[in-house]
Amino acid sequence: MQGRFISFEGTEGVGKTTAIEQLCARLEAHGIDYLRTREPGGSPFAEQLRAILLDPDTKINDNTELLLMFAARCDHLQQVILPALQRGKWVICDRFTDSTIAYQGFGRAHGDEEVRAKIDSLIGQFVTQLPELTLWLDLPVLEGMARAGKRSAADRFEQQAAAFFTRVHKGFSVLAGEQPERIQRIDASGSADEVSVRVWQTVATRFHLS
Ligand code: T5A
C-alpha cells in the first residue's frame, strides 16, 4: 500500500517543528507507521547541502541557492521519500517545493514571473511526487520572527529582514490560493496545543481518521 505524503510550510518560527512532533505522536497513537523528515536535508547528502545553505558564511548567488535546493531535494526524494512511501509509510516533511517558490521565488526574486517559471520547470522535471496534503502554518511574520528569535544564533535565512519574510509570506498565500485542495491554511496563533489540535482536525478529516 502506498503511504501518505504530508508537508508543513510557513515562514520562520511559525511552529512547524513543534506541530510536526505533536502530529507524529498522534499518528503513533493510531498505529500509523511514519517517517519524519525535512528540507533542505533529510538524506545524508542533502544534510551536507543543508549545512552549506544555512551557514551564514556561505556566499552564493540566487541561482546557485535555487539549484542547491533542488540538488538536495532530488537526493532526498530518491533516497528517502519515495522508498518510504513505497513501503507504505506516511512521510511527514518539514518544508518541500512550496518553500522554494516562497523563499527563492518571492523572497529572493520578488515574485518575478521568469524565476517562478524556472522553479515550476525544475519541479516538473525532478519532483515526481508532490505532497497530497500541505499544511501552511500561517502567522504574522513578526510573531514568527519573535518566536524564532528566542533561540540561539540566526542561520543564513533567519538573518534576512522582515521585508524578505513578508514577501515569503505572500508567496505562501499565493500558492494556497492557486492550490486550495492540496494546501490547507492553519491558523498558527495561540498555544502549541491549540495549533496541534487544528493540525490534527485537518489531517484526520482528510484521511478519515477518528
Ligand atoms: N528554505 C527551505 C528555502 O529557502 N528554500 C527551500 O526550498 C527550503 C526547503 C530551513 C531554511 O531553509 C529555507 C527556509 C528556512 O529558512 P529551518 O531550520 O528548517 O531552515 O527553518 P524553519 O523551517 O524556519 O524552522 P524553525 O525551527 O525556525 O521554525 P519552526 O519549525 O516553524 O518553529 P519551531 O516549532 O521550531 O518553533 C519556534 C519557536 O517557537 C516556539 C518553539 O518552542 C520554538 O522556541 N513555539 C511556539 N511559541 C508560542 N506558541 C506556539 N504555538 C509555538 N509553537 C512553537
Side-chain angles (χ1 to χ4, degrees), residues 11-18 39-40 50 54 69 73 94-96 99-100 103-104 147-148 151 155 157-158 188 190-192 195:
T11 44
E12 305 299 297
V14 290
K16 291 179 287 77
T17 308
T18 309
E39 290 213 340
R50 176 188 175 92
L54 298 194
M69 288 293 175
R73 180 163 299 133
D94 191 340
R95 300 191 180 281
F96 201 61
S99 276
T100 316
Y103 279 76
Q104 280 65 51
R147 284 183 187 174
R151 291 174 316 191
D155 66 35
F157 290 97
E158 287 167 347
S191 71
V195 176

Side-chain angles (χ1 to χ4, degrees), residues 141-168:
V141 164
L142 292 179
E143 278 184 51
M145 289 177 82
R147 284 183 187 174
K150 286 187 191 150
R151 291 174 316 191
S152 52
D155 66 35
R156 204 167 62 85
F157 290 97
E158 287 167 347
Q159 289 182 335
Q160 295 295 319
F164 175 87
F165 295 111
T166 302
R167 295 195 297 275
V168 171

Side-chain angles (χ1 to χ4, degrees), residues 18-111:
T18 309
I20 287 171
E21 271 167 18
Q22 299 201 14
L23 172 62
C24 288
R26 285 191 158 98
L27 292 178
E28 214 161 296
H30 278 72
I32 292 171
D33 193 11
Y34 67 87
L35 172 86
R36 179 180 164 181
T37 188
R38 67 176 180 181
E39 290 213 340
S43 66
F45 176 69
E47 287 290 330
Q48 288 181 307
L49 292 182
R50 176 188 175 92
I52 294 168
L53 280 160
L54 298 194
D55 183 348
D57 291 332
T58 296
K59 304 280 181 267
I60 48 177
N61 71 23
D62 293 354
N63 280 335
T64 308
E65 179 178 281
L66 173 62
L67 291 171
L68 285 179
M69 288 293 175
F70 271 92
R73 180 163 299 133
C74 253
D75 191 67
H76 182 213
L77 193 60
Q78 293 302 326
Q79 303 292 334
V80 176
I81 296 177
L82 294 177
L85 290 173
Q86 280 154 14
R87 289 198 302 273
K89 280 180 186 279
W90 287 39
V91 174
I92 312 301
C93 193
D94 191 340
R95 300 191 180 281
F96 201 61
T97 49
D98 300 314
S99 276
T100 316
I101 294 171
Y103 279 76
Q104 280 65 51
F106 280 80
R108 296 281 190 227
H110 298 245

